[in-house]
Amino acid sequence: FSRFCGNTCICDGSAGGVVALRGAAKGSRVEHCVFAGNLDMNNGSNGPGGDSVTGGIAISLEDAAGTVDVVNNTFAYNVSAGKTAAAGLTVKKGVANVRNCVFWGNRGIAGEGSANAEISSVNTTVKNCCWPEAAREDGNTPDDPKFRTVKRYRHYPSPTGSCYETGDATGWTDADVDLAGNPRLRGEKVDIGCYQSPNGGLAIILW
């Protein structure tokens, strides 16, 4: 449960990332976090826009079969300069299990960056997630989440957007809350991302 917002990360070489999971980091879990408005760039031996592992989360494990769980997170409007990296999630080595995450508005710098600016990976399982290039399978959607940004970097799903009540509700209880402390379950449904949209009408959004 953390906010990684408005940061500038400059890596000297091939290793970057707002959150970098490397070496023996297998078994890690990143949950209920927002990565928004970050700039991740390479200014080292590979030069600006070099072949670096950058992004909101950058994964490069020593064990190619090692796993990292990325669950209930929001990646929005981040910028990356790595030519083969995404501004959202980059997995160079290892396996990422991604569920209930939204990747939207992320991009490379001036044409640099991966052709897929949201997710760059060769070994990732993605379910119940939202990003522009998503195929309509495993609960994934390419449609606009239509964020309602109530305060800077607080990107709530809109009731008319694709992330509203389309997350995987398996295992949730009435005691679960989102990143802002709001109840997570709405009946038996949850939204995609780290924030749960208030249930229509007049609502109090906790900070």
Side-chain angles (χ1 to χ4, degrees):
F1 283 74
S2 297
R3 299 181 179 93
F4 302 90
C5 303
N7 301 292
T8 298
C9 307
I10 302 176
C11 64
D12 186 11
S14 61
V18 178
V19 170
L21 300 174
R22 310 194 186 286
K26 68 179 181 180
S28 297
R29 183 178 180 91
V30 182
E31 182 173 8
H32 275 106
C33 295
V34 56
F35 298 83
N38 299 295
L39 170 62
D40 191 6
M41 60 186 298
N42 186 328
N43 199 31
S45 58
N46 289 327
D51 188 14
S52 53
V53 184
T54 58
I57 300 177
I59 300 172
S60 184
L61 306 178
E62 61 186 16
D63 181 0
T67 61
V68 172
D69 292 330
V70 180
V71 184
N72 307 319
N73 300 298
T74 296
F75 299 79
Y77 311 112
N78 299 290
V79 179
S80 171
K83 287 183 178 179
T84 59
L89 170 68
T90 298
V91 183
K92 183 176 182 180
K93 186 177 180 181
V95 181
N97 298 316
V98 187
R99 182 168 64 94
N100 277 11
C101 292
V102 53
F103 302 82
W104 205 263
N106 302 291
R107 63 179 181 84
I109 294 178
E112 300 288 1
S114 169
N116 184 345
E118 311 292 344
I119 304 172
S120 177
S121 175
V122 295
N123 200 5
T124 297
T125 300
V126 186
K127 295 183 178 180
N128 292 94
C129 290
C130 170
W131 76 102
E133 295 84 7
R136 297 184 189 277
E137 59 187 20
D138 295 324
N140 298 317
T141 174
D143 297 332
D144 192 341
K146 298 181 181 179
F147 287 133
R148 294 191 298 176
T149 306
V150 297
K151 289 188 178 181
R152 193 178 187 190
Y153 306 131
R154 273 57 172 179
H155 303 299
Y156 285 81
S158 167
T160 60
S162 63
C163 293
Y164 186 78
E165 297 188 345
T166 54
D168 181 0
T170 304
W172 293 100
T173 70
D174 290 336
D176 289 319
V177 296
D178 70 0
L179 180 58
N182 298 302
R184 192 70 213 206
L185 277 176
R186 184 185 300 108
E188 297 181 354
K189 297 180 180 180
V190 298
D191 297 337
I192 293 175
C194 65
Y195 292 114
Q196 186 77 12
S197 181
N199 186 18
L202 179 64
I204 298 175
I205 299 176
L206 301 178
W207 185 248

